Amino acid sequence: MDIELVQGDITEQEVDAVVNAANSSLLGGGGVDGAIHRRGGPEILAECRRLRETRYGEGLPAGQAVATTAGRLPARWVVHTVGPVYSASEDRSDVLASCYARSLQVADELGARTVAFPAVSTGVYRWPIEDAARIAIEAVRSASTDVQTCRFVLFDAAAYAAFERALADSPG
Ligand code: AR6
């Protein structure tokens, strides 16, 4: 698998699947979530509402992932995943790693070969960027998947630099 890093806006990525850093409600929010719904249009929210009425009546649990249309985004699907809120007293690294692993699993089910990820949990959910970058790189590196390209789309220079370091430090 190729791992690419770019600094930019995830809603502009021409890939098969774009991953959304959603919340359990699946009904939208700020950050990446807000940007994806704004730019992708109402079709995405309509599908999210249907998911809430069917499979995910209680919401999507943290660490899980589910796909919808990408609406007007230049991608085919959005894979919504729910990151853990960072906690200094409880280690939730496994839940964060699971976001990446489960998103790739959903991508495989869709037949997606190129996937763009944001740095899940590093915004509103306050996960320290260096640690989040290490967990993200390790999780995609160790996944068994048919996805050929994982592109991490980092919003600012500091996040980009953290992912660059994590990639350089990661074995393999
Ligand atoms: N493209 C790429 N990265 C972005 C973009 C963008 N357009 N916008 C922000 N980022 P966040 P979380 C970066 O807060 O921490 C929402 O309200 C941002 O700088 O989007 O998982 C949801 O509904 C940060 O590094 O996601 C949830 O309630 C990273 O993306 C909650 O926030 C993730 O920040 C989820 O919080």
Side-chain angles (χ1 to χ4, degrees), residues 10 19-20 40 42 46 63-64 73 75 77 84 107 119 122 124 130 136 139 141 158 170:
I10 199 157
V19 176
N20 181 19
Q64 302 292 311
L73 295 178
W77 300 284
T122 64
V124 174
E130 299 285 335
R141 275 241 161 109
S170 139

Side-chain angles (χ1 to χ4, degrees), residues 8-10 21-23 28-33 35 118-126 153 155:
D9 182 341
I10 199 157
N23 60 62
V32 170
D33 202 6
V120 177
S121 287
T122 64
V124 174
Y125 287 174
R126 303 188 317 273
V153 183
F155 212 40

Side-chain angles (χ1 to χ4, degrees), residues 10-58:
I10 199 157
T11 65
E12 294 173 1
Q13 304 303 311
E14 294 182 15
V15 286
D16 293 331
V18 164
V19 176
N20 181 19
N23 60 62
S24 287
S25 82
L26 291 176
L27 300 179
V32 170
D33 202 6
I36 283 178
H37 283 284
R38 251 191 325 275
R39 193 142 177 178
E43 256 189 281
I44 301 176
L45 188 59
E47 255 192 65
C48 286
R49 285 193 202 284
R50 282 197 291 278
L51 284 167
R52 286 300 308 276
E53 286 159 11
T54 54
R55 272 167 75 189
Y56 294 107
E58 309 213 326

